[in-house]
Amino acid sequence: MKGFGAGLALGLGLITLMSILLFQPSVQLYQETQLNLLRVLMAAYTPLLTPLSSIAGAEAVGGEQGYGVLPIIIWLVSAFSVGFLLGDIGKSAKTMFASASIIILTWIAAAFLAAPSWMDTDLWLRSLDAMASDLLINRPMDLLSTLIIPPTAAALAATLSQVRIRRGEAGEQEDYLSYPEY
């Protein structure tokens, strides 16, 4: 469990930090409340939900500009980091699946919980309807790829880490065996 917690912290931390820094969400804050954190997270996580469409050049969820390869790069960098950190294929894949699930659930929760911080209810309902229909109806492969690509990349990185460690151990054993004992 110790490795899973460290991997989850690393995965979520990297994803959140990179998405806030690279996408620089411009959120209009109408009130000074703690719910503004949810609005910032929602704006930062929105581009991450459509990695395949972003690569294809489509607009982001909500009609914003496309982000190109940045969302998939964020997912892969965090997945490879978790995979190399943990070095276990199963734990790495489970950790990145949990990270992706938490990000999707945080995005959904932020959309509903941050409603009081929006200017009016009509704007909130229209925006939420547009984003949900755009993501769930028009781009189901993006949502599915968000749950498949990061765990696969983390498992691949863990496999590469194990191969590197085994080669190092095999090289040490060969060096040890090649010297005659006197």
Side-chain angles (χ1 to χ4, degrees):
M1 196 58 143
K2 183 178 180 181
F4 180 80
L8 189 62
L10 177 68
L12 285 174
L14 279 176
I15 291 168
T16 302
L17 183 64
M18 287 189 295
S19 64
I20 287 175
L21 291 176
L22 291 176
F23 301 130
Q24 296 180 357
S26 59
V27 177
Q28 294 178 344
L29 304 176
Y30 301 112
Q31 301 172 2
E32 295 295 325
T33 65
Q34 292 176 348
L35 294 174
N36 291 334
L37 174 65
L38 293 175
R39 300 239 3 241
V40 169
L41 286 177
M42 182 179 169
Y45 289 161
T46 298
L48 296 176
L49 300 178
T50 56
L52 296 180
S53 295
S54 292
I55 290 173
E59 291 180 346
V61 174
E64 296 179 20
Q65 69 177 8
Y67 292 99
V69 296
L70 285 178
I72 197 73
I73 288 174
I74 289 173
W75 283 116
L76 292 177
V77 165
S78 61
F80 282 128
S81 299
V82 167
F84 284 123
L85 171 77
L86 296 180
D88 182 273
I89 298 168
K91 282 184 183 177
S92 299
K94 290 174 188 175
T95 300
M96 281 312 296
F97 183 80
S99 296
S101 300
I102 289 171
I103 286 176
I104 291 169
L105 291 174
T106 301
W107 185 81
I108 292 169
F112 286 101
L113 295 175
S117 69
W118 290 48
M119 185 66 107
D120 62 0
T121 307
D122 187 46
L123 172 67
W124 173 72
L125 287 174
R126 282 186 286 135
S127 298
L128 188 62
D129 181 51
M131 286 188 284
S133 64
D134 190 23
L135 182 64
L136 298 175
I137 296 172
N138 297 336
R139 303 178 193 194
M141 291 307 294
D142 276 322
L143 195 57
L144 188 60
S145 68
T146 302
L147 295 172
I148 293 175
I149 292 173
T152 305
L156 177 66
T159 303
L160 293 174
S161 176
Q162 287 179 353
V163 167
R164 185 185 60 167
I165 291 170
R166 287 184 185 148
R167 278 191 179 167
E169 290 174 356
E172 290 174 5
Q173 288 176 355
E174 289 175 5
D175 289 342
Y176 179 74
L177 294 175
S178 64
Y179 295 112
E181 291 186 31
Y182 295 104

